[in-house]
Amino acid sequence: MLKTEYVTMNEASPDPEVIRRAGQIIKEGGLVAFPTETVYGLGGDALNPASSRKIYAAKGRPSDNPLIVHVCRLEDIELIVSEIPPEAEKLAEAFWPGPLTMIFKKSDLVPKETTGGLDTVAVRFPSNRIAQALIDASGGFIAAPSANRSGRPSPTVAKYCMEDLDGRVEMIIDGGEVGIGLESTIIDLTEGSPVILRPGFVNRKMLEEVLGNVEVDSTLITPDSGIAPKAPGMKYRHYAPRGELVIIEGERDKVVEEVNKAAARNAELGLKTGVICTDETEELYRADSVKSAGRRSDELSVARSLFRILREFDDEQVDRIYSESFGGGNLGRAIMNRLMKAAGHRLVHLGRGEKLQD
Ligand code: AMP
Ligand code: MG
């Protein structure tokens, strides 16, 4: 077991001495968890195959699920990709640094260990200043998936990195709560027309304003289509809380009524019930643990709260979780995408006469 050093840092003024040391750890093949604007990342040297193998081992992640390479300068991208399509330049200008990942054809410099065996590489330029400083101090290329054990919700605060990775990484940098709370949007630029592989803060409309028409990967539209997902990570179980999660769609009062009835039935069975709701409905539920993700109109609050709430239900050993559904808006698709994965796609439409099971 490694001894994990835990350091706290303010994004407004990253401590140069600690950053230098953290960079040295990565240069020497070690791992550092660090904040980004989306979720916390688990970083290693993207150009060192041994580092990537360590990342997979620390996460317990299947090694065909590729990592995202993080850079801190636009010009560095030329070293790790074999071709920069014109769309990438437009997107970089509009959204980088920021929560957008682009897929390129990779150069020989990037080992297959980092890309899960693929000839393509995912690249992101994060806006978080601690992340930027660390990437620079590490030699310019950090491979970083989310800093959680595989299958668990992505960490939005450093405490959860510690929970999952204590003894598995050399250092954890606590930079406070992240701003967005959902992983980056992923867009594939290697196939002719651009395709969204994972929805995120940068949504389809924003991308289309820059590029014109942008497709959405068909496995995102119909998750049960049986088509193999283009982003290998999408086929794995994600974010799953230990309790069984079901999303309830329908008219507000009906949702509250059905959830309260289910909570009462669960109580009789000796099962603990959790509810994911919004400020507008929090007072209406009667269950063991009722958690608001924020005001319904405040999508950023909902996005930032979601993974934290799923982890809190684990801590509270909740057996059954019911969540209101979140659609529309700018972040709606990204929030629902994560929630659906966490729920294993269990969704009940009350309006269609479906019912919550006992
Ligand atoms: P994470 O960093 O934990 O959010 O996971 C990275 C995600 O990016 C995974 O779902 C991968 O499947 C996806 N990804 C990384 N590299 C590629 C690539 N070359 N092609 C398609 N998807 C990728
Ligand atoms: Mg992840």
Side-chain angles (χ1 to χ4, degrees), residues 65 80 84 106 149 165 168 190 216 253 259 290 309 313 328:
N65 187 356
I80 54 170
I84 300 182
K106 78 173 195 71
R149 292 278 293 166
L165 299 174
R168 297 173 178 273
T190 65
V216 178
D253 293 345
V259 168
V290 178
I309 290 177
F313 283 143

Side-chain angles (χ1 to χ4, degrees), residues 61 65-68 103 118 120-122 144-146 186 197-198 231-233:
R61 177 171 177 141
N65 187 356
L67 308 175
I68 294 173
I103 312 280
L118 299 174
T120 52
V121 59
S146 48
I186 302 182
L197 300 184
R198 176 170 75 186

Side-chain angles (χ1 to χ4, degrees), residues 179-193:
I180 295 176
L182 302 177
E183 306 84 345
S184 58
T185 307
I186 302 182
I187 188 165
D188 187 355
L189 302 174
T190 65
E191 297 270 343
S193 57

Side-chain angles (χ1 to χ4, degrees), residues 248-318:
I248 321 289
E249 211 164 66
E251 191 234 316
R252 186 183 100 168
D253 293 345
K254 200 78 196 122
V255 170
V256 171
E257 188 189 325
E258 283 298 311
V259 168
N260 285 346
K261 277 199 245 163
R265 285 197 303 271
N266 293 341
E268 279 176 24
L269 297 169
L271 298 174
K272 203 167 169 184
T273 302
V275 177
I276 304 176
C277 60
T278 51
D279 287 358
E280 289 85 343
T281 52
E282 190 175 8
E283 298 293 317
L284 305 174
Y285 289 102
R286 302 283 168 263
D288 299 294
S289 183
V290 178
K291 294 183 190 288
S292 169
R295 272 183 298 121
R296 185 160 276 281
S297 57
D298 184 359
E299 291 190 302
L300 259 181
S301 161
V302 174
R304 205 184 297 127
S305 308
L306 181 62
F307 290 144
R308 173 180 50 77
I309 290 177
L310 292 175
R311 281 186 182 252
E312 286 172 358
F313 283 143
D314 282 354
D315 295 341
E316 296 168 19
Q317 299 185 320
V318 166

